[in-house]
Amino acid sequence: MGPGHPEQPERLRAIERGLEAERFQSLGRVESPAASLDAILRVHPQAYVSALEEAAPREGYAALDSDTLMCPKTMEAIWRAAGGAVAAVDEVMSGAADTAFVAARPPGHHASARNPMGFCFVNNVAVAARHAQTAYGAERVAIVDFDVHHGNGTQDIFWSDNSVLFCSTHQAPFYPGTGGRNETGEHGTIVNAPLFAGSTGDAFHEALADRILPRLRDFAPDLILISAGFDAHERDPLGGLRLKERDFGEATKRLLDVADKSCGGRLVSLLEGGYDLEALSGSVSAHVLALMGA
């Protein structure tokens, strides 16, 4: 994204440092492959993919909007971020792993089918959902997004699709301006639980318990996907919520409990936001520790 941009390579290095601790040494670690074009085209039309490729600069940076930029290596990163989502679904749906966490950049949940936005180009969690449906026959896929910013792109993609449940907690009113409780989709499969600026973990867990977890249980998904943004942490410079590391771990345990009862524990988590490096490292560690059942 360029010098000084919050969506920086150091985010992944901070996560790697956090996962170097002894308690994470049993983790299986795999480099993300590039996604196939078919996997991307299940969500994004060819014309959009071609436009991204044409926009990528041969040197320097190209701005697609005020905060979403490309450099010569961006397309490779886009394909590998989506490929990591596909590979994680393969691992979990095949039974090779119980859960998976995809630490990849760029994030994806602001990208709609035809438009990049908010640091996002390809909607990785949507690609993961469509892959689960196409390759493994998943009839119902649930997506839970706890990034501080509403996943407007994901909501838009699945607005009319009753086979995908999209649930989100997020700060509101806030960027990107969507995510009201009245936004429920054509089939009532959109569930938004907005939080006011300054909300703490108590309000976050209440939103999960009152609005999201009951809908998840009723939906009985074959797979749960998490858009795991950690910018709701109190230290994050781009958000105004006041969550702590332990809140992400506790939320993960609650989602795993639903997964255990609904879909044999199958859960895949994909990195979205999180821009304070210390908070990101600690929050991801708490999240992954919960995914490990610890």
Side-chain angles (χ1 to χ4, degrees):
M1 294 288 184
H5 198 288
E7 212 296 279
Q8 57 180 298
E10 189 60 31
R11 296 181 66 225
L12 293 189
R13 299 187 185 109
I15 290 172
E16 289 173 349
R17 287 194 295 272
L19 298 181
E20 287 174 354
E22 180 65 30
R23 57 188 174 178
F24 298 115
Q25 294 312 301
S26 64
L27 281 176
R29 302 169 194 252
V30 180
E31 183 176 353
S32 175
S36 68
L37 178 60
D38 285 345
I40 302 294
L41 293 182
R42 293 175 189 138
V43 174
H44 302 278
Q46 178 64 64
Y48 174 67
V49 177
S50 298
L52 283 180
E53 292 172 335
E54 292 170 7
R58 294 185 178 180
E59 60 183 24
Y61 298 91
L64 303 188
D65 63 28
S66 60
D67 55 17
T68 308
L69 298 90
M70 301 182 77
C71 74
K73 293 291 187 180
T74 298
M75 284 308 302
E76 180 182 356
I78 290 170
W79 286 93
R80 285 185 177 270
V86 169
V89 168
D90 286 338
E91 290 288 298
V92 170
M93 294 301 289
S94 69
D98 297 320
T99 60
F101 174 67
V102 184
R105 304 173 45 247
H109 72 152
H110 292 310
S112 66
R114 292 174 173 81
N115 291 290
M117 181 179 176
F119 316 161
C120 303
F121 304 90
V122 163
N123 195 301
N124 302 316
V125 76
V127 170
R130 290 298 187 222
H131 181 65
Q133 293 177 320
T134 302
Y136 296 96
E139 296 181 1
R140 295 175 305 282
V141 177
I143 299 170
V144 179
D145 188 328
F146 53 63
D147 193 280
V148 77
H149 305 100
H150 181 244
N152 60 301
T154 311
Q155 174 173 288
D156 182 67
I157 289 166
F158 296 114
W159 183 264
S160 303
D161 188 339
N162 64 4
S163 70
V164 176
L165 177 71
F166 174 68
C167 304
S168 176
T169 65
H170 49 274
Q171 181 179 332
F174 201 42
Y175 179 92
T178 53
R181 292 169 68 100
N182 63 331
E183 297 170 22
T184 58
E186 288 189 11
H187 305 284
T189 48
I190 303 294
V191 182
N192 287 306
L195 303 170
F196 289 113
S199 294
T200 65
D202 289 343
F204 170 65
H205 293 300
E206 182 178 346
L208 281 176
D210 291 351
R211 285 188 59 79
I212 292 178
L213 295 180
R215 291 297 303 278
L216 269 181
R217 297 186 188 102
D218 290 343
F219 189 70
D222 300 310
L223 172 68
I224 294 177
L225 302 172
I226 301 177
S227 272
F230 300 96
D231 40 7
H233 192 283
E234 63 184 358
R235 288 175 53 97
D236 198 274
L238 299 190
L241 299 183
R242 297 173 55 195
L243 273 62
K244 301 179 183 297
E245 285 91 339
R246 63 175 178 268
D247 293 314
F248 297 107
E250 180 59 32
T252 306
K253 292 176 182 177
R254 294 186 178 191
L255 295 173
L256 277 170
D257 181 66
V258 177
D260 287 340
K261 293 178 172 62
S262 172
C263 52
R266 292 187 294 271
L267 186 150
V268 172
S269 174
L270 293 86
L271 178 67
E272 298 285 359
Y275 305 101
D276 179 273
L277 299 181
E278 180 181 336
L280 176 63
S281 179
S283 299
V284 169
S285 295
H287 178 59
V288 172
L289 202 62
L291 291 177
M292 296 171 66

